Amino acid sequence: MSLHSSYPFLIRAYNRFFSNTTIDAQKLILAAQKSVGLTDFGASDYQDRLQKLCHAINTEAQLHPFGAFANKERLKGVLKNRLRAIQLFKEQPEILDTQLNPPIIIAGLQRTGTTFLQRLLAADSDNRALLSWEALNPIPLKGKNEEKKRIQQALTSQKALHYMSPIFFSIHPVEFDSPEEEILLNDMTLLSAIPEATLNVPSFSQWVAHQDHGIAYDWMIKMLKVLEWQKAPKTWILKTPQHLEYMDVVAKKFPNAVIIHTHRHPKECIPSFCSMVYHSRKIFSKAVDPIAVAQHWVSKNIGMLKHTMAIRKKHPNLKIIDLYYADLINNPIACIQTIYQQIGRPWNDRIKAELQKAMLRNKKNKYGKHQYKMADFGLTHHSIEQDFSFYLNAHPQLITN
């Protein structure tokens, strides 16, 4: 897979005829408020967070004109969701009185089988995952057929992403009606890893890392309650690698959750994820440095793993199940059955049949094979094994001859 793929015609044309690459936070705020007819973002420092993000984008991300336009639209969507959510809580405060059942939380480095595992577990009709269309618009719209409108918006977004970067779908398929990461809910606080995964914004990423992420998780829980208010509650299947970075917050906010920590040799998942970030950022900027991408995310992933390992040591009673990628891929149904046995969940033919259907829907390489070269990111087997030796020593099962 080439790092030098060309942009589709419409993006090339937009970049040719437009030149503005600046994102004005105040204009975004006014546009979102005017669009939904609301003004309250529910946090006194919320607009300051947006200002910090826009400043980092304008000074560091090197967006092309279409990249700036696309990020303006994304951020307006985030702001509008936030405004509508705050208004909903004012109108229906009882929503927040809901008590969520303890979820199953999938936490593992990127490209360790987390998406496949989430889609398998979500196939059990006793479970529920956040669907992509719900993640994009978790708050009901006004008027009739509002759910169909939200679904249509997500389908349009899926088609747009596929047009902008068909390569991206071979790396991480984004389907409007499939499970998605709840980090999209956290993003409404402007305290998530989404900006640094899609843009080069190191100053903002560093600032976010030092904030109180209890704020983001409290908001995520509120959004899950909103979704349960719309549909009957089941066991949530949550998933995002960012949980590793804030495992202390996860343990505090979900004390009774079952956490599945997925593992794969870093030499297999780190270069793959660097390729994913590179192609994600390439949608919005021509100036993406693959070496810088790798340096940032190798360092970040080391920190994420060390943090989770420290929290696990500090809290030995956390309900954490280790799951190895090779086992999951070689015998998915047996892995799920073992997990159910460990957590005391019933197992029957109905569940097995639902999982088998999910395996057919989520075949590997459904959108083509993800190809990349480790050397493009300045990585070698030796450098990765050296950087992640602390992790490999803790999980010798990952070491192969």
Side-chain angles (χ1 to χ4, degrees):
M1 184 179 292
S2 172
L3 295 183
H4 306 290
S5 54
S6 61
Y7 289 103
F9 170 76
L10 291 179
I11 293 180
R12 297 199 310 270
Y14 190 99
N15 287 339
R16 180 179 178 183
F17 291 106
F18 295 91
S19 59
N20 182 31
T21 59
T22 300
I23 300 180
D24 187 311
Q26 194 58 35
K27 288 183 178 179
L28 289 179
I29 290 167
L30 293 175
Q33 291 174 330
K34 181 178 180 180
S35 176
V36 297
L38 301 167
T39 60
D40 186 4
F41 288 104
S44 60
D45 66 337
Y46 192 77
Q47 296 187 30
D48 290 338
R49 297 178 214 168
L50 182 65
Q51 291 281 3
K52 288 181 185 294
L53 174 56
C54 290
H55 177 74
I57 292 173
N58 292 332
T59 58
E60 298 168 343
Q62 295 182 270
L63 301 184
H64 51 60
F66 178 81
F69 166 77
N71 275 277
K72 287 176 189 175
E73 293 304 305
R74 189 190 81 78
L75 287 171
K76 278 193 285 186
V78 169
L79 297 178
K80 288 192 288 185
N81 268 317
R82 175 84 183 199
L83 289 167
R84 292 192 290 114
I86 295 299
Q87 183 63 26
L88 179 63
F89 297 148
K90 292 176 181 178
E91 296 173 354
Q92 306 279 353
E94 69 277 6
I95 293 173
L96 301 182
D97 294 333
T98 303
Q99 294 298 314
L100 298 177
N101 292 326
I104 295 175
I105 300 176
I106 301 168
L109 287 186
Q110 310 88 353
R111 320 301 292 161
T112 60
T114 57
T115 297
F116 181 51
L117 177 60
Q118 184 191 31
R119 293 185 177 191
L120 281 181
L121 288 169
D124 179 350
S125 52
D126 287 333
N127 297 330
R128 177 181 181 183
L130 176 72
L131 299 182
S132 185
W133 68 267
E134 294 175 313
L136 287 176
N137 280 298
I139 310 302
L141 303 174
K142 300 293 184 182
K144 296 181 180 179
N145 300 317
E146 65 84 23
E147 186 174 296
K148 289 183 179 179
K149 291 177 182 177
R150 287 190 283 158
I151 292 172
Q152 184 58 50
Q153 287 181 18
L155 178 57
T156 300
S157 295
Q158 174 188 320
K159 291 178 178 178
L161 177 59
H162 191 272
Y163 177 80
M164 291 187 291
S165 181
I167 287 174
F168 191 80
F169 273 66
S170 68
I171 307 171
H172 179 70
V174 179
E175 299 164 323
F176 76 99
D177 58 350
S178 290
E180 190 49 84
E181 294 185 14
E182 60 276 8
I183 192 174
L184 292 174
L185 301 178
N186 293 27
D187 197 42
M188 274 186 267
T189 64
L190 302 177
L191 295 172
S192 81
I194 286 181
E196 70 181 306
T198 56
L199 305 168
N200 179 44
V201 284
S203 65
F204 183 75
S205 302
Q206 186 177 17
W207 177 80
V208 166
H210 291 91
Q211 301 310 299
D212 176 9
H213 284 267
I215 295 171
Y217 277 83
D218 284 341
W219 182 265
M220 180 185 74
I221 290 169
K222 288 179 180 179
M223 291 300 97
L224 295 177
K225 290 181 177 182
V226 168
L227 292 167
E228 284 202 355
W229 173 66
Q230 297 171 63
K231 292 184 179 179
K234 295 182 179 180
T235 298
W236 281 102
I237 308 298
L238 305 178
K239 184 271 287 191
T240 181
Q242 195 176 12
H243 292 317
L244 294 178
E245 188 172 8
Y246 304 111
M247 188 56 69
D248 55 333
V249 183
V250 173
K252 182 178 180 180
K253 300 299 180 181
F254 297 103
N256 298 314
V258 173
I259 300 168
I260 304 175
H261 189 171
T262 54
H263 302 278
R264 189 181 185 186
H265 198 297
K267 70 182 181 183
E268 296 173 349
C269 62
I270 295 295
S272 177
F273 180 66
C274 288
S275 174
M276 177 178 169
V277 171
Y278 175 87
H279 286 288
S280 179
R281 291 185 178 182
K282 187 75 182 296
I283 297 172
F284 309 117
S285 172
K286 295 179 181 179
V288 184
D289 180 352
I291 304 298
V293 166
Q295 289 174 341
H296 175 81
W297 282 98
V298 166
S299 176
K300 186 176 181 69
N301 282 339
I302 288 172
M304 289 164 61
L305 287 173
K306 286 185 174 180
H307 174 76
T308 285
M309 290 169 71
I311 294 302
R312 291 185 63 168
K313 187 175 182 180
K314 185 177 179 180
H315 300 281
N317 293 327
L318 281 176
K319 301 175 185 176
I320 299 184
I321 297 171
D322 292 303
L323 178 62
Y324 294 90
Y325 180 82
D327 295 333
L328 177 63
I329 297 303
N330 290 334
N331 200 334
I333 291 184
C335 283
I336 303 300
Q337 186 174 8
T338 299
I339 289 170
Y340 274 35
Q341 289 171 346
Q342 289 180 271
I343 64 178
R345 286 277 296 266
W347 179 265
N348 53 49
D349 290 340
R350 185 266 301 166
I351 298 172
K352 183 177 179 180
E354 288 173 339
L355 266 59
Q356 287 172 331
K357 289 181 181 179
M359 288 172 60
L360 291 175
R361 289 195 304 269
N362 298 286
K363 286 185 176 180
K364 194 173 182 178
N365 304 326
K366 180 178 178 180
Y367 293 95
K369 187 176 181 180
H370 176 204
Q371 297 178 326
Y372 55 90
K373 295 179 181 178
M374 188 181 295
D376 286 339
F377 301 94
L379 300 171
T380 66
H381 287 178
H382 177 70
S383 71
I384 292 175
E385 289 180 347
Q386 193 171 39
D387 288 337
F388 290 88
S389 59
F390 71 96
Y391 174 63
L392 293 171
N393 290 338
H395 295 277
Q397 301 93 322
L398 297 174
I399 300 175
T400 58
N401 296 326

